C-alpha cells in the first residue's frame, strides 16, 4: 500500500505541476494576445506616420522645385542687371561725350565700378548684412 500511496503522491505532484504549467501557458497566451493588440495599434501608428512622411516629402519636393525656379529667376535677374549696367555705362559715356567731356568707355566703366564699390562699402556697415534682420 505504501507503494500505491507513493505513486498517488507522485501523480498528485505531477498533476499540480501540469496544472501550474497550463496556468502559465494560459497566462503567456493572454500576454501574447495583449502584445498582438499593441502591435496592431502600433502598426496603425506606423501607417499614420508613413502617411505624414509621404506628405512631408511631397512638400519638400515642391519646395525644391520652387527653389530651382527661384535660382533660375535669380540667374536671369543677374544677367538682366549686368546688361542694364553695361547699357547705363554706355549711355553715361555717350552723355559725357555729348556734354563735351571726352572719356574712354574703359574710364567710364572704372567710374561705375568705383561707384559700385563705394555702395558696397556703405552697405557693408548696414544691417542688410546681418542675417537676423532679414
Amino acid at each position: 500500500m505504501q507503494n500505491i500511496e507513493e505513486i498517488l503522491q507522485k501523480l498528485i505532484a505531477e498533476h499540480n505541476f501540469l496544472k501550474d504549467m497550463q496556468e502559465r501557458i494560459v497566462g503567456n497566451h493572454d500576454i501574447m494576445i495583449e502584445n498582438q493588440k499593441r502591435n496592431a495599434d502600433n502598426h496603425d501608428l506606423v501607417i499614420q506616420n508613413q502617411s505624414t512622411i509621404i506628405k512631408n516629402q511631397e512638400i519638400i519636393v515642391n519646395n525644391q522645385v520652387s527653389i530651382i525656379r527661384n535660382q533660375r529667376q535669380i540667374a536671369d535677374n543677374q544677367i538682366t542687371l549686368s546688361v542694364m549696367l553695361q547699357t547705363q555705362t554706355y549711355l553715361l559715356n555717350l552723355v559725357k561725350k555729348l556734354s563735351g567731356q571726352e572719356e574712354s568707355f574703359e574710364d567710364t566703366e572704372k567710374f561705375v565700378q568705383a561707384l559700385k564699390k563705394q555702395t558696397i562699402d556703405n552697405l557693408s556697415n548696414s544691417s542688410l548684412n546681418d542675417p537676423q534682420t532679414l
Side-chain angles (χ1 to χ4, degrees):
M1 281 288 230
Q2 184 178 5
N3 201 5
I4 292 179
E5 192 64 32
E6 287 176 13
I7 293 173
L8 184 61
Q9 288 301 323
K10 285 182 182 180
L11 286 173
I12 290 173
E14 287 179 11
H15 174 74
N16 288 337
F17 175 77
L18 290 174
K19 180 181 165 190
D20 288 343
M21 293 308 281
Q22 286 177 339
E23 287 174 356
R24 287 183 184 173
I25 289 171
V26 169
N28 288 341
H29 184 69
D30 290 342
I31 289 171
M32 286 174 52
I33 289 173
E34 188 62 35
N35 286 342
Q36 286 176 340
K37 287 179 186 176
R38 286 185 187 143
N39 285 344
D41 291 343
N42 289 341
H43 185 68
D44 289 342
L45 288 174
V46 167
I47 290 172
Q48 289 174 359
N49 287 341
Q50 286 174 334
S51 175
T52 302
I53 288 169
I54 289 169
K55 289 175 187 174
N56 288 342
Q57 286 173 333
E58 289 174 1
I59 291 170
I60 288 168
V61 167
N62 289 334
N63 287 344
Q64 288 173 331
V65 168
S66 293
I67 288 169
I68 290 169
R69 285 185 188 138
N70 290 342
Q71 288 172 332
R72 286 183 183 156
Q73 185 64 50
I74 288 168
D76 287 345
N77 289 346
Q78 288 173 330
I79 291 168
T80 301
L81 287 172
S82 178
V83 169
M84 289 173 64
L85 180 61
Q86 290 173 11
T87 303
Q88 288 175 340
T89 304
Y90 177 75
L91 291 173
L92 178 60
N93 184 262
L94 285 177
V95 168
K96 286 185 174 188
K97 284 181 182 179
L98 288 173
S99 68
Q101 296 176 340
E102 275 299 317
E103 182 175 88
S104 69
F105 185 76
E106 291 77 22
D107 287 341
T108 306
E109 280 183 315
K110 288 178 184 176
F111 172 75
V112 170
Q113 289 301 323
L115 285 175
K116 185 178 173 184
K117 183 181 180 326
Q118 181 182 6
T119 302
I120 290 171
D121 290 343
N122 288 341
L123 287 176
S124 68
N125 295 327
S126 73
S127 62
L128 290 177
N129 290 333
D130 184 3
Q132 293 177 347
T133 63
L134 298 178

